[in-house]
Amino acid sequence: MSQDTSNAPEKAYHHFIHDEVEADLAAGKNAGRVHTRFPPEPNGYLHIGHVKAICVNFGLAQKYGGKCNLRFDDTNPAKEEQEYVDSIQHDVRWLGFGWDRLTYASDFFEELYGYAEHLVRTGHAYVCDLSAEQVAEYRGRLDRPGRESPYRNRSAEENLDLLRRMRAGEFEDGARTLRAKIDMASPNPNLRDPVLYRILRAHHHRTGDRWCIYPMYDYAHGQCDALEGITHSVCTLEFEIHRPLYNWLLDHLPVPHRPRQIEFARLNVTYTVLSKRKLLELVRAGIVDGWDDPRMPTISGLRRRGYTPEALRAFSDGVGVARFNSTVDKVLLENAIRDDLNRRARRAMAVLDPILVTLENFPADKLEWLEAVNNPEDPAAGTRRMPLTRQVWIERDDFREDAPKKYFRLAPGKEVRLRYAYCITCKEVKKDAQGKVIELVCTYDPQTGHGTTPDGRKVKGILHWVSAEHAIEAPVRLYDHLFAAQFPDDVPEGVDWKSNLNPKSLVKVAGPKLEPCLREALPGTHYQFERLGYFFTDPHESKSGAPVFNRTVTLRDSWANIEKREE
Ligand code: ATP
Ligand code: MG
């Protein structure tokens, strides 16, 4: 598959990995080739952190006219599923990237095993009979050397025989491992005779029951890189301490090519957790409605929420690529989608908490069609017509009975403009027996069409509204951060990180009043509900003539204010 240019990513900012790659190119390494890979483990859906890794890896290939593979790191059969493999491919494509080769670590199981025999024959690996607990105990602590396994000095012949019998299934799960013979006194725990193979009888999503020994990630990864001809193996910082092992293995194996590992900082974002394990926990516990719940930081959740590939790529480029870990403010992600949707989303009117306004001087049988702009940022989006009748809905929040001086919305005796229509003045407030305002009686000034006032008087407030007679109702869901805490992972010992949930992460609006044109909203369409935020018709739940609206993001960041108040 070639690079998909129809949806080509924006120009990426320069970062330190570019310098590294350019230095290699200048030194004539890899015959001028750049070949990267994105290597997810298919044990969950991709999240916004993976977006970063995808943009970096595919971005390098694009920038240097190179290639990028999609490789499934499927060395851990117990946790991997075809559903994840499928979703990952879909998400990478949706983000706008095409891979050169699609590979699986399991494609290389035979070669990897051959390399294991090579290490045994050359005296660089041995079969160890210690249990997993014993291996950990012998490894020792960081500040003192570990102890050598009593099985470390088996002969190459004995090791080869045992390794072959491991593969043949002669031993119980966990009874033996293959370990690299490196240095039990190394200050780097990864070099203290790391395990390369374990015995595990588990059905593998691709190789079935063919294997009962599986390579460890650290062993498989670099050799797969080498076999695929990867030039720059870009990964996250936690693998920095694994790099000496990565290189040791390349040094001791007859690999066809030598890749180079470069690490960058993981992306963390406030108000969310980013780990497939934790996201799976949320799904399993029923806290969210699946991996694609619009509150999830997964690509599929963000997509269903109304995020676009362009916004995710712009966000990823904007936060940069660094060598130290930090947490990015979620506002940056939200601003990226605001920028994008401001340009592309059609405007419409929706009143989510309605209060009835009667225009007492507007004839009861009159219907007036007003022209409204579909997108002020995009003249090509054209205009539409909105019906105005004697009764309209406005937002309850846009009326205050005791309004402070600087309140520019509606209040008794005050004048505001109905967007694209006339100025109205509040004459009377009607309440129910409990004192709740149920209707506002207003007059409208017919001289104030087209945004003008006859005497040049200033009317500051402009309200969104919907004709009561024409309004439609449709499910509207207000999504917010899933977690109320900025750093949900950051909990004291014994406290469940899931206890930080935001109780208002999903609010289903009761009885919203929507502009009639929204009835025809197709699934997967972006709107800006004027003054309220960006909304997306749920691609799964919307039906023709029956849309369901998900709030993608509010027009402004409301959490900054909350935090200020709480300070
Ligand atoms: P998780 O803990 O969510 O499962 P992982 O690192 O185990 O993450 P992999 O499927 O192994 O997930 O990741 C594939 C690639 O994506 C790796 O190169 C990994 O470093 C990168 N990656 C994963 N999470 C992030 C993140 N938060 N920021 C940047 N890159 C990430
Ligand atoms: Mg992982």
Short mmCIF file of all heavy atoms in Angstrom, two decimals, residues 80-124:
data_model
loop_
_atom_site.label_atom_id
_atom_site.label_comp_id
_atom_site.label_asym_id
_atom_site.label_seq_id
_atom_site.Cartn_x
_atom_site.Cartn_y
_atom_site.Cartn_z
N GLU A 80 -4.28 -11.06 23.09
CA GLU A 80 -4.45 -10.45 21.77
C GLU A 80 -5.66 -11.00 21.03
O GLU A 80 -5.96 -12.17 21.12
CB GLU A 80 -3.16 -10.64 20.98
CG GLU A 80 -2.03 -9.88 21.64
CD GLU A 80 -0.66 -10.45 21.35
OE1 GLU A 80 -0.55 -11.38 20.56
OE2 GLU A 80 0.30 -9.94 21.96
N GLU A 81 -6.30 -10.14 20.28
CA GLU A 81 -7.52 -10.54 19.59
C GLU A 81 -7.61 -9.92 18.21
O GLU A 81 -7.12 -8.82 17.98
CB GLU A 81 -8.74 -10.08 20.40
CG GLU A 81 -8.96 -10.87 21.67
CD GLU A 81 -10.12 -10.33 22.47
OE1 GLU A 81 -11.05 -9.77 21.87
OE2 GLU A 81 -10.07 -10.47 23.70
N GLN A 82 -8.31 -10.60 17.33
CA GLN A 82 -8.51 -10.13 15.96
C GLN A 82 -9.26 -8.79 15.94
O GLN A 82 -8.98 -7.92 15.12
CB GLN A 82 -9.26 -11.20 15.15
CG GLN A 82 -9.36 -10.89 13.67
CD GLN A 82 -7.99 -10.81 12.99
OE1 GLN A 82 -7.07 -11.56 13.33
NE2 GLN A 82 -7.85 -9.88 12.05
N GLU A 83 -10.21 -8.64 16.84
CA GLU A 83 -10.98 -7.38 16.89
C GLU A 83 -10.03 -6.18 17.01
O GLU A 83 -10.23 -5.14 16.39
CB GLU A 83 -11.92 -7.42 18.11
CG GLU A 83 -12.72 -6.14 18.31
CD GLU A 83 -13.39 -6.05 19.67
OE1 GLU A 83 -13.42 -7.07 20.42
OE2 GLU A 83 -13.88 -4.95 20.01
N TYR A 84 -9.01 -6.35 17.83
CA TYR A 84 -8.05 -5.25 18.03
C TYR A 84 -7.21 -5.04 16.77
O TYR A 84 -6.92 -3.90 16.38
CB TYR A 84 -7.15 -5.55 19.23
CG TYR A 84 -7.91 -5.72 20.52
CD1 TYR A 84 -7.54 -6.70 21.45
CD2 TYR A 84 -9.00 -4.92 20.83
CE1 TYR A 84 -8.23 -6.86 22.66
CE2 TYR A 84 -9.70 -5.07 22.02
CZ TYR A 84 -9.31 -6.05 22.93
OH TYR A 84 -9.99 -6.19 24.10
N VAL A 85 -6.82 -6.13 16.13
CA VAL A 85 -6.04 -6.03 14.89
C VAL A 85 -6.84 -5.22 13.86
O VAL A 85 -6.31 -4.32 13.21
CB VAL A 85 -5.73 -7.45 14.35
CG1 VAL A 85 -5.19 -7.38 12.93
CG2 VAL A 85 -4.73 -8.15 15.27
N ASP A 86 -8.12 -5.53 13.73
CA ASP A 86 -8.96 -4.85 12.75
C ASP A 86 -9.14 -3.37 13.10
O ASP A 86 -9.03 -2.50 12.24
CB ASP A 86 -10.35 -5.51 12.67
CG ASP A 86 -10.27 -6.94 12.15
OD1 ASP A 86 -9.24 -7.26 11.51
OD2 ASP A 86 -11.20 -7.72 12.40
N SER A 87 -9.40 -3.09 14.36
CA SER A 87 -9.64 -1.69 14.75
C SER A 87 -8.39 -0.86 14.55
O SER A 87 -8.46 0.30 14.14
CB SER A 87 -10.14 -1.61 16.19
OG SER A 87 -9.07 -1.79 17.10
N ILE A 88 -7.23 -1.44 14.84
CA ILE A 88 -5.98 -0.68 14.71
C ILE A 88 -5.73 -0.30 13.25
O ILE A 88 -5.39 0.85 12.94
CB ILE A 88 -4.79 -1.51 15.29
CG1 ILE A 88 -4.91 -1.56 16.83
CG2 ILE A 88 -3.45 -0.93 14.85
CD1 ILE A 88 -3.97 -2.54 17.52
N GLN A 89 -5.96 -1.23 12.33
CA GLN A 89 -5.77 -0.91 10.91
C GLN A 89 -6.73 0.20 10.47
O GLN A 89 -6.37 1.14 9.77
CB GLN A 89 -6.01 -2.14 10.05
CG GLN A 89 -4.97 -3.22 10.28
CD GLN A 89 -5.17 -4.40 9.35
OE1 GLN A 89 -5.28 -4.23 8.14
NE2 GLN A 89 -5.21 -5.59 9.91
N HIS A 90 -7.96 0.06 10.92
CA HIS A 90 -8.97 1.05 10.56
C HIS A 90 -8.58 2.43 11.09
O HIS A 90 -8.67 3.45 10.38
CB HIS A 90 -10.32 0.61 11.12
CG HIS A 90 -11.43 1.54 10.77
ND1 HIS A 90 -12.19 2.17 11.72
CD2 HIS A 90 -11.89 1.97 9.59
CE1 HIS A 90 -13.07 2.96 11.11
NE2 HIS A 90 -12.91 2.85 9.83
N ASP A 91 -8.12 2.48 12.33
CA ASP A 91 -7.77 3.76 12.95
C ASP A 91 -6.57 4.41 12.27
O ASP A 91 -6.54 5.64 12.09
CB ASP A 91 -7.48 3.57 14.45
CG ASP A 91 -8.75 3.29 15.25
OD1 ASP A 91 -9.85 3.46 14.70
OD2 ASP A 91 -8.63 2.92 16.43
N VAL A 92 -5.58 3.63 11.92
CA VAL A 92 -4.39 4.20 11.27
C VAL A 92 -4.79 4.80 9.91
O VAL A 92 -4.40 5.91 9.56
CB VAL A 92 -3.27 3.15 11.10
CG1 VAL A 92 -2.12 3.70 10.26
CG2 VAL A 92 -2.75 2.69 12.47
N ARG A 93 -5.60 4.06 9.18
CA ARG A 93 -6.06 4.56 7.87
C ARG A 93 -6.89 5.82 8.04
O ARG A 93 -6.74 6.78 7.29
CB ARG A 93 -6.92 3.52 7.18
CG ARG A 93 -6.11 2.50 6.45
CD ARG A 93 -6.90 1.94 5.27
NE ARG A 93 -6.26 0.70 4.85
CZ ARG A 93 -6.61 -0.49 5.31
NH1 ARG A 93 -7.61 -0.61 6.18
NH2 ARG A 93 -5.98 -1.55 4.90
N TRP A 94 -7.79 5.77 9.03
CA TRP A 94 -8.66 6.93 9.25
C TRP A 94 -7.84 8.18 9.57
O TRP A 94 -8.18 9.29 9.14
CB TRP A 94 -9.64 6.62 10.39
CG TRP A 94 -10.54 7.77 10.73
CD1 TRP A 94 -11.66 8.17 10.06
CD2 TRP A 94 -10.39 8.67 11.83
NE1 TRP A 94 -12.20 9.26 10.69
CE2 TRP A 94 -11.45 9.59 11.77
CE3 TRP A 94 -9.45 8.78 12.87
CZ2 TRP A 94 -11.59 10.62 12.71
CZ3 TRP A 94 -9.60 9.79 13.79
CH2 TRP A 94 -10.67 10.71 13.70
N LEU A 95 -6.74 7.98 10.29
CA LEU A 95 -5.88 9.13 10.61
C LEU A 95 -5.21 9.70 9.36
O LEU A 95 -4.65 10.79 9.39
CB LEU A 95 -4.79 8.73 11.60
CG LEU A 95 -5.09 8.89 13.08
CD1 LEU A 95 -3.88 8.42 13.89
CD2 LEU A 95 -5.41 10.34 13.44
N GLY A 96 -5.26 8.96 8.28
CA GLY A 96 -4.74 9.49 7.02
C GLY A 96 -3.41 8.88 6.59
O GLY A 96 -2.72 9.44 5.75
N PHE A 97 -3.05 7.74 7.17
CA PHE A 97 -1.76 7.14 6.84
C PHE A 97 -1.93 5.78 6.17
O PHE A 97 -2.86 5.03 6.47
CB PHE A 97 -0.90 6.98 8.10
CG PHE A 97 -0.56 8.29 8.74
CD1 PHE A 97 -1.21 8.71 9.89
CD2 PHE A 97 0.40 9.12 8.18
CE1 PHE A 97 -0.91 9.93 10.49
CE2 PHE A 97 0.71 10.35 8.77
CZ PHE A 97 0.06 10.75 9.92
N GLY A 98 -1.01 5.50 5.27
CA GLY A 98 -0.98 4.18 4.63
C GLY A 98 0.38 3.56 4.90
O GLY A 98 1.39 4.26 4.86
N TRP A 99 0.41 2.27 5.18
CA TRP A 99 1.68 1.62 5.51
C TRP A 99 2.28 0.98 4.28
O TRP A 99 1.59 0.71 3.30
CB TRP A 99 1.48 0.58 6.61
CG TRP A 99 0.29 -0.31 6.38
CD1 TRP A 99 0.25 -1.46 5.66
CD2 TRP A 99 -1.04 -0.10 6.89
NE1 TRP A 99 -1.02 -1.97 5.68
CE2 TRP A 99 -1.83 -1.17 6.43
CE3 TRP A 99 -1.64 0.88 7.69
CZ2 TRP A 99 -3.19 -1.29 6.73
CZ3 TRP A 99 -3.00 0.76 7.98
CH2 TRP A 99 -3.75 -0.32 7.51
N ASP A 100 3.59 0.75 4.37
CA ASP A 100 4.27 0.01 3.31
C ASP A 100 3.93 -1.47 3.46
O ASP A 100 3.16 -2.01 2.70
CB ASP A 100 5.77 0.27 3.39
CG ASP A 100 6.51 -0.43 2.26
OD1 ASP A 100 6.11 -0.23 1.11
OD2 ASP A 100 7.45 -1.20 2.54
N ARG A 101 4.46 -2.12 4.51
CA ARG A 101 4.10 -3.53 4.74
C ARG A 101 3.27 -3.65 6.01
O ARG A 101 3.49 -2.94 6.98
CB ARG A 101 5.36 -4.36 4.94
CG ARG A 101 6.12 -4.67 3.67
CD ARG A 101 7.44 -5.37 4.01
NE ARG A 101 7.22 -6.73 4.50
CZ ARG A 101 8.19 -7.46 5.07
NH1 ARG A 101 9.40 -6.96 5.24
NH2 ARG A 101 7.92 -8.68 5.50
N LEU A 102 2.35 -4.58 5.99
CA LEU A 102 1.62 -4.95 7.19
C LEU A 102 2.23 -6.27 7.67
O LEU A 102 2.19 -7.26 6.94
CB LEU A 102 0.14 -5.16 6.86
CG LEU A 102 -0.71 -5.66 8.02
CD1 LEU A 102 -0.89 -4.56 9.05
CD2 LEU A 102 -2.07 -6.12 7.52
N THR A 103 2.84 -6.23 8.85
CA THR A 103 3.50 -7.45 9.33
C THR A 103 3.05 -7.77 10.74
O THR A 103 2.39 -6.95 11.40
CB THR A 103 5.04 -7.28 9.34
OG1 THR A 103 5.37 -6.21 10.24
CG2 THR A 103 5.59 -6.97 7.95
N TYR A 104 3.41 -8.96 11.16
CA TYR A 104 3.13 -9.42 12.52
C TYR A 104 4.44 -9.98 13.06
O TYR A 104 5.16 -10.66 12.32
CB TYR A 104 2.10 -10.55 12.50
CG TYR A 104 0.73 -10.13 12.02
CD1 TYR A 104 0.45 -10.03 10.66
CD2 TYR A 104 -0.28 -9.85 12.93
CE1 TYR A 104 -0.81 -9.66 10.22
CE2 TYR A 104 -1.54 -9.48 12.48
CZ TYR A 104 -1.81 -9.38 11.14
OH TYR A 104 -3.05 -9.02 10.70
N ALA A 105 4.72 -9.72 14.32
CA ALA A 105 5.91 -10.34 14.91
C ALA A 105 5.82 -11.85 14.71
O ALA A 105 6.83 -12.52 14.47
CB ALA A 105 6.01 -9.99 16.39
N SER A 106 4.60 -12.38 14.75
CA SER A 106 4.44 -13.83 14.60
C SER A 106 4.82 -14.34 13.21
O SER A 106 5.08 -15.53 13.04
CB SER A 106 3.00 -14.25 14.95
OG SER A 106 2.08 -13.57 14.13
N ASP A 107 4.87 -13.42 12.21
CA ASP A 107 5.35 -13.84 10.89
C ASP A 107 6.79 -14.33 10.99
O ASP A 107 7.27 -15.07 10.13
CB ASP A 107 5.39 -12.65 9.89
CG ASP A 107 4.01 -12.11 9.58
OD1 ASP A 107 3.03 -12.82 9.82
OD2 ASP A 107 3.93 -10.96 9.07
N PHE A 108 7.49 -13.84 12.02
CA PHE A 108 8.93 -14.11 12.13
C PHE A 108 9.27 -15.14 13.20
O PHE A 108 10.42 -15.29 13.57
CB PHE A 108 9.68 -12.79 12.43
CG PHE A 108 9.43 -11.71 11.40
CD1 PHE A 108 8.60 -10.64 11.68
CD2 PHE A 108 10.01 -11.79 10.15
CE1 PHE A 108 8.36 -9.65 10.73
CE2 PHE A 108 9.79 -10.81 9.20
CZ PHE A 108 8.96 -9.73 9.48
N PHE A 109 8.25 -15.84 13.72
CA PHE A 109 8.52 -16.78 14.82
C PHE A 109 9.59 -17.82 14.44
O PHE A 109 10.44 -18.16 15.25
CB PHE A 109 7.24 -17.50 15.26
CG PHE A 109 6.38 -16.70 16.24
CD1 PHE A 109 5.16 -17.21 16.68
CD2 PHE A 109 6.81 -15.47 16.72
CE1 PHE A 109 4.38 -16.50 17.59
CE2 PHE A 109 6.02 -14.74 17.63
CZ PHE A 109 4.80 -15.26 18.05
N GLU A 110 9.54 -18.28 13.20
CA GLU A 110 10.51 -19.31 12.80
C GLU A 110 11.93 -18.72 12.77
O GLU A 110 12.86 -19.31 13.31
CB GLU A 110 10.11 -19.85 11.42
CG GLU A 110 10.68 -21.20 11.08
CD GLU A 110 10.36 -22.32 12.09
OE1 GLU A 110 9.17 -22.61 12.28
OE2 GLU A 110 11.31 -22.87 12.67
N GLU A 111 12.06 -17.54 12.16
CA GLU A 111 13.39 -16.89 12.12
C GLU A 111 13.89 -16.57 13.53
O GLU A 111 15.07 -16.75 13.84
CB GLU A 111 13.34 -15.57 11.33
CG GLU A 111 13.25 -15.73 9.84
CD GLU A 111 11.81 -15.76 9.34
OE1 GLU A 111 10.89 -16.14 10.13
OE2 GLU A 111 11.60 -15.41 8.16
N LEU A 112 12.97 -16.11 14.36
CA LEU A 112 13.38 -15.75 15.72
C LEU A 112 13.87 -16.99 16.47
O LEU A 112 14.85 -16.95 17.21
CB LEU A 112 12.20 -15.11 16.48
CG LEU A 112 11.75 -13.74 15.96
CD1 LEU A 112 10.46 -13.30 16.65
CD2 LEU A 112 12.85 -12.70 16.19
N TYR A 113 13.18 -18.09 16.23
CA TYR A 113 13.61 -19.33 16.88
C TYR A 113 15.00 -19.75 16.36
O TYR A 113 15.87 -20.16 17.12
CB TYR A 113 12.58 -20.46 16.66
CG TYR A 113 13.07 -21.75 17.25
CD1 TYR A 113 12.97 -21.99 18.62
CD2 TYR A 113 13.71 -22.70 16.44
CE1 TYR A 113 13.50 -23.15 19.17
CE2 TYR A 113 14.23 -23.87 16.98
CZ TYR A 113 14.12 -24.09 18.35
OH TYR A 113 14.64 -25.21 18.90
N GLY A 114 15.19 -19.58 15.07
CA GLY A 114 16.50 -19.91 14.49
C GLY A 114 17.61 -19.07 15.13
O GLY A 114 18.68 -19.58 15.44
N TYR A 115 17.32 -17.81 15.36
CA TYR A 115 18.29 -16.93 16.04
C TYR A 115 18.55 -17.41 17.46
O TYR A 115 19.66 -17.31 17.98
CB TYR A 115 17.78 -15.49 16.07
CG TYR A 115 17.89 -14.74 14.75
CD1 TYR A 115 17.04 -13.67 14.49
CD2 TYR A 115 18.85 -15.07 13.81
CE1 TYR A 115 17.14 -12.95 13.30
CE2 TYR A 115 18.95 -14.37 12.62
CZ TYR A 115 18.09 -13.31 12.37
OH TYR A 115 18.19 -12.60 11.20
N ALA A 116 17.52 -17.95 18.10
CA ALA A 116 17.69 -18.45 19.48
C ALA A 116 18.68 -19.61 19.46
O ALA A 116 19.59 -19.69 20.30
CB ALA A 116 16.34 -18.88 20.06
N GLU A 117 18.54 -20.50 18.49
CA GLU A 117 19.49 -21.63 18.41
C GLU A 117 20.90 -21.09 18.15
O GLU A 117 21.88 -21.61 18.69
CB GLU A 117 19.08 -22.60 17.29
CG GLU A 117 17.85 -23.43 17.68
CD GLU A 117 17.77 -24.78 16.98
OE1 GLU A 117 18.60 -25.03 16.06
OE2 GLU A 117 16.89 -25.59 17.35
N HIS A 118 20.97 -20.04 17.34
CA HIS A 118 22.28 -19.45 17.07
C HIS A 118 22.94 -18.95 18.37
O HIS A 118 24.12 -19.20 18.62
CB HIS A 118 22.15 -18.29 16.08
CG HIS A 118 23.44 -17.60 15.78
ND1 HIS A 118 24.27 -17.99 14.75
CD2 HIS A 118 24.07 -16.57 16.41
CE1 HIS A 118 25.35 -17.22 14.75
NE2 HIS A 118 25.26 -16.35 15.74
N LEU A 119 22.14 -18.28 19.20
CA LEU A 119 22.70 -17.76 20.47
C LEU A 119 23.16 -18.92 21.35
O LEU A 119 24.20 -18.83 22.02
CB LEU A 119 21.65 -16.93 21.21
CG LEU A 119 21.33 -15.55 20.61
CD1 LEU A 119 20.20 -14.89 21.38
CD2 LEU A 119 22.57 -14.65 20.61
N VAL A 120 22.40 -20.00 21.35
CA VAL A 120 22.76 -21.16 22.16
C VAL A 120 24.07 -21.77 21.64
O VAL A 120 25.00 -22.04 22.40
CB VAL A 120 21.61 -22.19 22.14
CG1 VAL A 120 22.10 -23.56 22.65
CG2 VAL A 120 20.43 -21.70 22.99
N ARG A 121 24.14 -21.94 20.34
CA ARG A 121 25.32 -22.56 19.74
C ARG A 121 26.58 -21.73 19.97
O ARG A 121 27.66 -22.27 20.14
CB ARG A 121 25.11 -22.80 18.24
CG ARG A 121 24.51 -24.17 17.96
CD ARG A 121 24.50 -24.52 16.48
NE ARG A 121 23.14 -24.35 15.97
CZ ARG A 121 22.76 -23.39 15.15
NH1 ARG A 121 23.62 -22.52 14.70
NH2 ARG A 121 21.51 -23.29 14.77
N THR A 122 26.41 -20.43 20.00
CA THR A 122 27.59 -19.57 20.18
C THR A 122 27.85 -19.26 21.65
O THR A 122 28.67 -18.40 21.98
CB THR A 122 27.41 -18.25 19.41
OG1 THR A 122 26.15 -17.68 19.79
CG2 THR A 122 27.43 -18.46 17.91
N GLY A 123 27.11 -19.91 22.53
CA GLY A 123 27.36 -19.74 23.97
C GLY A 123 26.79 -18.46 24.54
O GLY A 123 27.19 -18.02 25.63
N HIS A 124 25.83 -17.84 23.88
CA HIS A 124 25.28 -16.58 24.36
C HIS A 124 23.89 -16.71 24.95
O HIS A 124 23.25 -15.70 25.27
CB HIS A 124 25.26 -15.54 23.23
CG HIS A 124 26.64 -15.16 22.78
ND1 HIS A 124 27.56 -14.60 23.62
CD2 HIS A 124 27.25 -15.30 21.57
CE1 HIS A 124 28.68 -14.39 22.96
NE2 HIS A 124 28.52 -14.81 21.71
#
